[in-house]
Amino acid sequence: MVIIGLIVLLPICALVFGSFWSDSPVAKGGSLTLGNWARAISMSIPTTLPVLFLNSLLFAFLVAILSVALGVTLAYLVERTDMPCGRLFEQLAILPRAFPVIIAALAWMMLLSPKIGVLNILFRELFGLTLFNIYSFPGMVFLMVLYESPIVFLISLSAFRLMDPALEEQSLVCGNSVLGTLYRVTLPVMRPLMLSAFMLVFIISMITIEVPIIIGMPGGVFVFTTAIFQLIATDYQSLIYYNTAAALAMMIIPITMAMLFLYRRLVKRVEKFVTIAGKPPARSVQKLGYWRYVAVTVLSLYFFTVMILPTLVIVLLSFSEFISSPSVELLTRLTLKHWSRALSDTVFWRALKNTLILSSIGATLSVVLAFATGYLLIRSSAKFKGMIEGMAMLPLAFPGTVLAIGFVWIYIKTPLYGTLWILLGYFVGNYFPFALRTLSPLLFQFHKELEEASWISGAGPLKTIVRILIPFLKGGLFSVWILLFQIYIREFAGAIILFSFGNEVLSTLLFLRAFEEGFLGVGAVLGTLMLALSLGLHAAVAKRIKAVL
């Protein structure tokens, strides 16, 4: 409980305090004031507060609604139709979640930037016009939908399998068409789950920072997270704008908490719409005829756009002398200078070492802390379990950017600030709810009779955990560890806020080299290495899960 307080509760309290304090986090004096809130409300740089609210809400709404529409459609084609290669697409669906968004943003910038985008250069050469400007509000929405719709796809796929197809078959027998059955039976049954998926993607879109910074800011499109980042970056050394940033950050919290509350209510309501129990019924398949080939083409194009095309761009850019339209001649001018420059940079090796240290220690601490907390909440009869669980879940309502500002306020006057320890605390605190929720089902699977048998044999609680519980759950614990390791490798939001020279990680170094200093080739090298690490870990998790099943 003390550890949870240090990495979760204290930063949140410090954030609230900072929004009402007159001086910066490093100043000795100060007093309580409402001036920070007044400045946040009346500010016009980078844009006004009403515009921030409108942009943020509209951005999150469009991403959520389009992701749900796309994800449910893809899941329906895979699970309810005779489209070829359905099982293959099911396996591919999880891959975009292993693709770091900052790398995807770099790839699509190289494809659709109005000046240097490869596709735009090609279209100008062929047709004399620009295909699409990625530095725009539609560009932000497009990129987020590509990499958030797989979440909805996976949720919807499970829902279609849990739904009794007899309901759809009876509708067809009664004379309804396939489309009529879809609108009158299938979608109404799935409505609570679709709404919960909408809420989940809405929350993610409200708190994301990579796409708004890399794609939105160059186009003059600002949302809450980019406005907070802009305020902090305005005077990084003196921290004079951290008070206003804290006040602005506090304005997001009611929105995220309300959406989180609705999401949890909707998840609970899904249980009322369960249509099967026990053995799953036979799968219902709709015949698409010739349209089945159109469907498989669309899904192939989708996965090519999400995974293969960005990967090719990043890898090719890391070997390219300069940017030009695609041609055979381009392949004759490949170079290793970007790799040489990246690998000869001492900062790169420090960032790589920092990333591996933080990811490995952070994943280990997260698993240990989540396991201990989950055991306390599920297996013990300790008091104040509700309060402990509430504290543990608090970061869900606080975007990573916002929580990182709280870490600045509470720890900037301590020796921890500017070191890897501050990043480690943020990593563990910010993703603690994820670790706890992922580990909890494992503890529910372990029947209490096994523990009781150990106790009867004379073993104490600690010995039972070490010799019985952990060996039984080691496969699941290892999978959660790898998932957390993978998340920490690509973490950017908190890492960029808490960045200082010496505690660089790969994601912040990629941002500095590619987007701040303009060395796109070096950024592509870093992106290629991060992508290899992330996809390699994803393959390890998939292999482990397959072995367990």
Side-chain angles (χ1 to χ4, degrees), residues 332-347:
T332 65
R333 296 195 297 267
L334 299 180
T335 178
L336 291 173
K337 72 173 187 178
H338 301 310
W339 285 86
S340 176
R341 183 169 189 165
L343 297 179
S344 62
D345 185 2
T346 56
V347 179

Side-chain angles (χ1 to χ4, degrees), residues 459-538:
L462 183 60
K463 192 173 183 180
T464 299
I465 292 173
V466 173
R467 299 189 64 178
I468 305 296
L469 193 59
I470 292 178
F472 181 82
L473 300 176
K474 64 181 180 181
L477 293 174
F478 178 69
S479 296
V480 174
W481 187 91
I482 293 182
L483 285 172
L484 289 167
F485 190 98
Q486 184 186 58
I487 290 171
Y488 294 158
I489 280 178
R490 64 175 187 257
E491 167 59 29
F492 175 74
I496 194 65
I497 299 296
L498 297 170
F499 162 77
S500 61
F501 294 100
N503 72 351
E504 304 94 342
V505 291
L506 286 177
S507 60
T508 54
L509 185 62
L510 188 156
F511 178 77
L512 293 173
R513 294 289 184 264
F515 303 108
E516 293 289 309
E517 300 171 6
F519 297 119
L520 296 176
V522 175
V525 172
L526 298 175
T528 301
L529 294 173
M530 287 179 64
L531 192 57
L533 276 172
S534 185
L535 292 177
L537 289 167
H538 170 79

Side-chain angles (χ1 to χ4, degrees), residues 3 23 25 148 159-160 168 210 255 287 330 366 368 370 374 429 484 529:
I3 298 175
D23 284 322
E148 297 306 326
F160 277 122
E168 296 164 299
E210 292 94 332
I255 300 174
K287 302 293 183 181
L330 181 64
S366 296
V368 171
L484 289 167
L529 294 173

Side-chain angles (χ1 to χ4, degrees), residues 68 72 152 156 186-188 190-199 270:
V68 169
V72 171
V152 184
S156 302
T186 309
L187 294 182
M190 291 189 61
R191 188 181 297 126
L193 187 136
M194 291 167 60
L195 286 173
S196 67
F198 173 90
M199 297 293 181
V270 169

Side-chain angles (χ1 to χ4, degrees), residues 81-124:
T81 70
D82 61 344
M83 181 191 69
C85 306
R87 299 283 78 84
L88 173 62
F89 289 125
E90 180 185 344
Q91 297 298 319
L92 292 174
I94 192 64
L95 280 177
R97 299 305 304 161
F99 204 106
V101 177
I102 189 171
I103 300 174
L106 174 61
W108 282 99
M109 184 194 79
M110 299 310 304
L111 284 167
L112 292 174
S113 169
K115 293 183 179 179
I116 63 172
V118 173
L119 293 181
N120 281 328
I121 292 174
L122 183 62
F123 261 69
R124 278 198 296 269

